[in-house]
Amino acid sequence: MGLKKLVAGNWKMHGLSNDLDEVKAIATAAAVYPAVDVALCVPAILVERAARAVPGFAIGGQDVHHAEKGAHTGCTSALMLLDAGASLTIVGHSERREAQRESDSEVKAKAEAALSVGLGVILCVGESLEVRDGGGAVAAVMQQLDGSLPDDIDGEAELAVAYEPIWAIGTGKIPTESEISEMHAAIRARLRERYGDAGSGIRILYGGSVKSSNAAEIFAIRDVDGALVGGASLKNQDFVPIVAAAAAVSGK
Ligand code: 13P
């Protein structure tokens, strides 16, 4: 029996007040699939309004600062996200690792800060096309995991890992089934080495050009415990079929 699937949307820098209707539509439609956990990670400024609009539905942030508080202009602390109504946050997305030059150790500190206040974490890892073509994808992702996984996962809040090959994000390109399966198996093995039996309970999401047309195939791959969805999470009619595909694979 696999882990319950988690389908999380990452709205990235999309979403204004008007889009709260879309959040509501997604939350309403997702409730039809109790066999799947569904979450939407929205821009920080929308978190509070989104959380108020859909009580009981998981709203997340997309990043968090590692410090509890202090002189960090423009940043959002874990407690602020929680206070605004978020129940989880993404950390270490490749767009931040690249554009904001976030290091593995910074991502680790962010994950630990979020977990320590009770926010669930989706920690992203993934290789570039150059690394994939050079045959070093698994080694690169293992190195990212070693540097960015939190030391302690004993608290209440859940850690999930998202494998997002950078070259598959927003491109319509998807790794082959065997590439996904090889990577997810390697991540699972690393999680077990690191956390023992608890490593078997950590959900490993796939992210990168997930759409309703490919979701069923991706969810059927062993050790794929869900998806982190970008572009196709912005609209109810694109996102909900992905949730439905996860439910179908779960036998519900
Ligand atoms: P796309 O689904 O748009 O490829 O984005 C994936 C992603 O980066 C989710 O975090």
Side-chain angles (χ1 to χ4, degrees), residues 8-12 90 93-95 124 162 164-166 168-173 206-211 227-233:
N10 174 8
W11 274 22
K12 306 191 180 182
I90 296 170
H93 193 282
S94 60
E95 287 153 15
C124 302
E164 297 207 312
I166 296 167
I169 295 176
T171 59
K173 288 187 206 150
Y206 168 79
S209 296
V210 176
K211 302 193 171 14
L228 184 56
V229 184
S233 70

Side-chain angles (χ1 to χ4, degrees), residues 18-223:
N18 281 346
D19 299 299
L20 290 169
D21 286 343
E22 210 65 51
V23 173
K24 285 186 211 158
I26 288 171
T28 305
V32 176
Y33 303 101
V36 180
D37 289 330
V38 182
L40 279 182
C41 297
V42 299
I45 195 141
L46 263 193
V47 164
E48 178 157 12
R49 279 171 292 161
R52 281 188 199 280
V54 289
F57 179 82
I59 294 293
Q62 301 172 2
D63 175 51
V64 72
H65 196 274
H66 59 78
E68 206 176 302
K69 58 182 163 186
H72 303 288
T73 304
C75 298
T76 307
S77 75
L79 211 49
M80 288 172 185
L81 275 184
L82 190 74
D83 187 48
S87 55
L88 73 155
T89 186
I90 296 170
V91 299
H93 193 282
S94 60
E95 287 153 15
R96 296 197 57 86
R97 287 179 183 265
E98 278 182 20
Q100 267 69 40
R101 298 181 205 280
E102 289 185 4
S103 64
D104 286 338
S105 60
E106 201 174 342
V107 172
K108 175 180 179 178
K110 286 169 185 257
E112 289 180 342
L115 291 171
S116 74
V117 302
L119 274 184
V121 165
I122 299 177
L123 192 160
C124 302
V125 291
E127 81 286 356
S128 66
L129 188 57
E130 205 184 354
V131 169
R132 164 66 61 186
D133 287 345
V138 171
V141 167
M142 294 305 107
Q143 196 181 342
Q144 281 182 321
L145 284 178
D146 291 347
S148 50
L149 283 173
D151 282 336
D152 180 9
I153 55 158
D154 293 339
E156 296 275 291
E158 181 193 351
L159 170 70
V161 171
Y163 168 53
E164 297 207 312
I166 296 167
W167 50 275
I169 295 176
T171 59
K173 288 187 206 150
I174 295 257
T176 63
E177 190 181 318
S178 70
E179 285 169 338
I180 296 179
S181 141
E182 177 193 37
M183 187 63 82
H184 279 236
I187 294 172
R188 174 69 65 216
R190 202 56 144 225
L191 292 171
R192 288 185 53 87
E193 270 168 44
R194 183 76 178 248
Y195 303 119
D197 283 349
S200 305
I202 296 175
R203 291 189 279 198
I204 307 173
L205 316 182
Y206 168 79
S209 296
V210 176
K211 302 193 171 14
S212 58
S213 54
N214 58 26
E217 253 170 83
I218 293 169
F219 290 137
I221 301 171
R222 193 183 155 90
D223 276 322

